[in-house]
Amino acid sequence: MPVNSLREYLDLLDTTGWLRPFDQPVSWDLEASAATMLANIRDGPIPVFESITGIETESKLVGDPYRGPQARPWNHFAQALDLPDGLSGRTYYDRVIDRLNAPTAPRTVASHEAPCKETVRTGNEVDLLSFPWPYIHEGDGGRYSNHHTIVAPDPDTEWGTWSSHRMMIHDSSRASLLLLAGEQVPNRYYYDYEPRGEPMPVAVVIGSEPTVESTADMWIPTGRSEAAFAGGLKDAPVDLVQCETNDLYVPATAELVLEGHVRPDDRLDEGPFGDYFGYMNGPRRSMPVFEVDAITHRDEPRIPFCVEGSGVGYGQNSTSTLRLVAAGPDATVGLRAAGFDVAMAVPWRFTSRTVWVIATDRPYPGYLHELANFIFTTWGMLHIDFFVFVDAAVDPLDPRAVLTAIALEADPDADFHQFGVERMPKVPLNIYQTPDEKGSADVGTSKAKTAKAYIDATTDGETTETTTTETRKRAQERLVEAGLDAARFDRLDEREAKSQ
């Protein structure tokens, strides 16, 4: 059975030796994040900090719970989805894509059936500072929640829309949200609620089950429900429960839910913050105010956080892993639905939000330019700067294979393409724009535009491989007979099957 909560997921990690409880007291002030960073870089177990110094609390901090193993970053998520053990990366993508193609509507439950309602605080009982929000990086503008799901209204769906935006804690009832115009929830606030002078109801869901956490960062089309795609991922409905103070529905098994509203024409400082590029993102900016009206939570809530910028690669924090295991298959589904014959769309191992690798055939001249233009003008507009296109038989999960394709197949004169010069928008979390270019505090987006680019590293169909498939198969058989693990050849077998 797939797991239905963060706690069940942590129990799963514990049974497989991938959980490390810390009984000794640890401070929320840099200590928890430092220990998590080392665990991330060294591919160690997921740390759970059970005793937090400097605050009286029953809460526990969990450092990067959705980080996967560096060698096979999809392993933990596959186990959470109750998929077979030992899947190759391509087979894992195929299984997840099948599930994303079969969304499952959520199920509503009563408040007394929802674990997230074990404790309900309203009015004077609301106190954000009673929880051990971590100070993650030295130089951050404050203490953050950065591993959560934002639930906001959406007139086109029954269950609202889900997204992910970091939140800086200010006092007992207020926080600032990083809302960057161009994304669905920020657009709803800046161009719908705020012009009317109305507060936008919002719920911040902390400690969600794996499929909820992953779909919040997918590019779900407008009018479609993230809740249904989360249900499709786990092949079972996600349980939702109505909030106490507004009409929004939130995942019922969450550890902690902050109910409130984003106030119109009101701002608080936000940042700087050590973000996913691996450097301190600033300057300090004014961002919309989230006013908390109610807090509901489980007993002894587990509060996850992500150490952004800790190393590079798919398996080195929750964000990079979730991009690979969920956003990649989702992007593949979207491109196929748009009519492109894409084998796999995969975030590049070392910069998962700025570079992607697309494995695809090239059926006619101009096809790759059409594909790149489609992505850059839809879901890839704000974050992604360039793509690498490789043959469908090349494994985009393998950096060596991708770099080999670039080195051997990409003509520096003909295959490096730039378009949209100074016309494409870019979120202000990049390193190449100056502070003046990163701009407008009113809507939190860049004043300057940027270009986009792609590399054509596909073959022209005229090359001949030096070793035939039959010869390689015989070599595999001899090596297996010599005692080498047969699973090592899964990826090669899949490549060959795809190319035939």
Side-chain angles (χ1 to χ4, degrees), residues 236-356:
V238 172
D239 285 347
L240 301 179
V241 64
Q242 188 172 357
C243 287
E244 299 289 314
T245 58
N246 57 48
D247 295 331
L248 297 173
Y249 282 81
V250 295
T253 63
E255 294 289 325
L256 175 66
V257 178
L258 309 178
E259 302 178 13
H261 56 277
V262 183
R263 303 194 317 212
D265 303 312
D266 195 4
R267 301 291 189 269
L268 283 171
D269 287 349
E270 197 281 332
F273 181 72
D275 222 307
Y276 55 80
F277 285 98
Y279 76 102
M280 189 61 62
N281 171 252
R284 199 168 179 85
R285 302 158 63 89
S286 295
M287 283 289 149
V289 177
F290 175 53
E291 182 78 31
V292 179
D293 300 318
I295 298 175
T296 72
H297 62 83
R298 301 184 68 158
D299 295 338
E300 299 184 357
R302 278 68 166 166
I303 299 177
F305 66 94
C306 176
V307 184
E308 295 285 11
S310 62
V312 293
Y314 295 143
Q316 292 206 330
N317 63 32
S318 290
T319 296
S320 58
T321 299
L322 290 175
R323 303 294 291 178
L324 171 79
V325 303
D330 170 62
T332 305
V333 169
L335 293 176
R336 291 178 183 176
F340 297 100
D341 187 18
V342 168
M344 294 176 72
V346 175
W348 177 238
R349 183 180 189 91
F350 307 107
T351 52
S352 62
R353 283 180 180 262
T354 58
V355 181
W356 280 54

Side-chain angles (χ1 to χ4, degrees), residues 252-495:
T253 63
E255 294 289 325
L256 175 66
V257 178
L258 309 178
E259 302 178 13
H261 56 277
V262 183
R263 303 194 317 212
D265 303 312
D266 195 4
R267 301 291 189 269
L268 283 171
D269 287 349
E270 197 281 332
F273 181 72
D275 222 307
Y276 55 80
F277 285 98
Y279 76 102
M280 189 61 62
N281 171 252
R284 199 168 179 85
R285 302 158 63 89
S286 295
M287 283 289 149
V289 177
F290 175 53
E291 182 78 31
V292 179
D293 300 318
I295 298 175
T296 72
H297 62 83
R298 301 184 68 158
D299 295 338
E300 299 184 357
R302 278 68 166 166
I303 299 177
F305 66 94
C306 176
V307 184
E308 295 285 11
S310 62
V312 293
Y314 295 143
Q316 292 206 330
N317 63 32
S318 290
T319 296
S320 58
T321 299
L322 290 175
R323 303 294 291 178
L324 171 79
V325 303
D330 170 62
T332 305
V333 169
L335 293 176
R336 291 178 183 176
F340 297 100
D341 187 18
V342 168
M344 294 176 72
V346 175
W348 177 238
R349 183 180 189 91
F350 307 107
T351 52
S352 62
R353 283 180 180 262
T354 58
V355 181
W356 280 54
V357 182
I358 310 293
T360 181
D361 291 321
R362 188 178 56 179
Y364 54 84
Y367 167 83
L368 296 183
H369 191 85
E370 291 178 11
L371 176 54
N373 187 66
F374 174 81
I375 299 170
F376 285 138
T377 54
T378 53
W379 55 266
M381 179 184 297
L382 288 174
H383 290 274
I384 300 172
D385 283 337
F386 71 88
F387 285 90
V388 178
F389 293 109
V390 297
D391 287 339
V394 174
D395 184 1
L397 291 165
D398 182 352
R400 179 176 178 176
V402 174
L403 288 173
T404 298
I406 294 173
L408 299 181
E409 306 294 348
D411 182 340
D413 180 53
D415 291 332
F416 287 69
H417 303 269
Q418 185 182 55
F419 63 97
V421 177
E422 296 185 357
R423 292 191 294 115
M424 298 286 188
K426 177 70 177 178
V427 295
L429 304 180
N430 65 81
I431 196 169
Y432 54 76
Q433 287 184 316
T434 67
D436 287 341
E437 291 173 327
K438 289 185 182 181
S440 171
D442 293 334
V443 295
T445 191
S446 297
K447 291 184 297 185
K449 304 301 180 182
T450 186
K452 303 293 183 180
Y454 68 90
I455 299 173
D456 178 1
T458 61
T459 63
D460 58 11
E462 298 177 358
T463 57
T464 301
E465 293 189 12
T466 58
T467 307
T468 66
T469 300
E470 182 179 351
T471 301
R472 273 181 282 188
K473 288 286 188 183
R474 288 200 301 269
Q476 289 181 29
E477 292 170 359
R478 300 292 86 78
L479 291 171
V480 170
E481 290 172 1
L484 195 64
D485 185 0
R488 292 175 179 262
F489 301 112
D490 284 349
R491 188 173 293 168
L492 181 59
D493 291 341
E494 288 178 345
R495 260 189 235 170

Side-chain angles (χ1 to χ4, degrees), residues 149-165 183-189 193 200-205 212 215-228 240 248-251:
T149 297
I150 302 286
V151 180
D154 186 342
D156 298 322
T157 66
E158 184 178 0
W159 310 111
T161 186
W162 297 353
S163 63
S164 179
H165 309 276
E183 300 172 328
Q184 289 186 24
V185 170
N187 284 353
R188 183 74 60 196
Y189 170 74
Y193 281 87
M200 183 174 75
V202 162
V204 179
V205 181
V212 169
T215 50
D217 206 28
M218 289 182 181
W219 292 286
I220 303 298
T222 301
R224 304 293 297 275
S225 167
E226 286 89 356
L240 301 179
L248 297 173
Y249 282 81
V250 295

Side-chain angles (χ1 to χ4, degrees), residues 42-321:
R42 296 175 180 178
D43 204 21
I46 304 301
V48 179
F49 305 102
E50 299 185 333
S51 177
I52 311 298
T53 63
I55 184 174
E56 292 186 11
T57 181
E58 293 183 345
S59 304
K60 307 176 190 298
L61 288 174
V62 186
D64 273 307
Y66 293 119
R67 166 177 56 87
Q70 291 179 16
R72 298 171 59 84
W74 54 87
N75 265 13
H76 295 167
F77 204 77
Q79 292 169 348
L81 299 182
D82 198 29
L83 293 174
D85 291 336
L87 295 179
S88 67
R90 190 180 291 269
T91 302
Y92 168 82
Y93 261 55
D94 290 341
R95 295 294 186 92
V96 171
I97 286 169
D98 288 343
R99 292 195 177 186
L100 288 172
N101 282 322
T104 301
R107 177 179 60 188
T108 58
V109 299
S111 291
H112 70 273
E113 300 176 288
C116 70
K117 305 277 192 178
E118 290 174 350
T119 297
V120 177
R121 305 186 195 180
T122 57
N124 293 333
E125 294 181 327
V126 170
D127 185 7
L128 287 174
L129 301 181
S130 65
F131 299 96
W133 311 107
Y135 185 58
I136 299 175
H137 314 93
E138 189 170 5
D140 282 353
R143 298 163 66 184
Y144 271 87
S145 172
N146 71 333
H147 202 332
H148 54 238
T149 297
I150 302 286
V151 180
D154 186 342
D156 298 322
T157 66
E158 184 178 0
W159 310 111
T161 186
W162 297 353
S163 63
S164 179
H165 309 276
R166 73 188 191 212
M167 179 177 72
M168 192 175 90
I169 310 300
H170 279 264
D171 54 37
S172 62
S173 63
R174 297 184 307 162
S176 51
L177 287 173
L178 182 69
L179 299 183
L180 302 175
E183 300 172 328
Q184 289 186 24
V185 170
N187 284 353
R188 183 74 60 196
Y189 170 74
Y190 289 124
Y191 305 123
D192 189 0
Y193 281 87
E194 191 169 51
R196 300 198 308 259
E198 297 179 8
M200 183 174 75
V202 162
V204 179
V205 181
I206 299 162
S208 300
E209 61 184 279
T211 60
V212 169
E213 200 71 46
S214 62
T215 50
D217 206 28
M218 289 182 181
W219 292 286
I220 303 298
T222 301
R224 304 293 297 275
S225 167
E226 286 89 356
F229 282 92
L233 270 179
K234 72 173 187 175
D235 199 25
V238 172
D239 285 347
L240 301 179
V241 64
Q242 188 172 357
C243 287
E244 299 289 314
T245 58
N246 57 48
D247 295 331
L248 297 173
Y249 282 81
V250 295
T253 63
E255 294 289 325
L256 175 66
V257 178
L258 309 178
E259 302 178 13
H261 56 277
V262 183
R263 303 194 317 212
D265 303 312
D266 195 4
R267 301 291 189 269
L268 283 171
D269 287 349
E270 197 281 332
F273 181 72
D275 222 307
Y276 55 80
F277 285 98
Y279 76 102
M280 189 61 62
N281 171 252
R284 199 168 179 85
R285 302 158 63 89
S286 295
M287 283 289 149
V289 177
F290 175 53
E291 182 78 31
V292 179
D293 300 318
I295 298 175
T296 72
H297 62 83
R298 301 184 68 158
D299 295 338
E300 299 184 357
R302 278 68 166 166
I303 299 177
F305 66 94
C306 176
V307 184
E308 295 285 11
S310 62
V312 293
Y314 295 143
Q316 292 206 330
N317 63 32
S318 290
T319 296
S320 58
T321 299

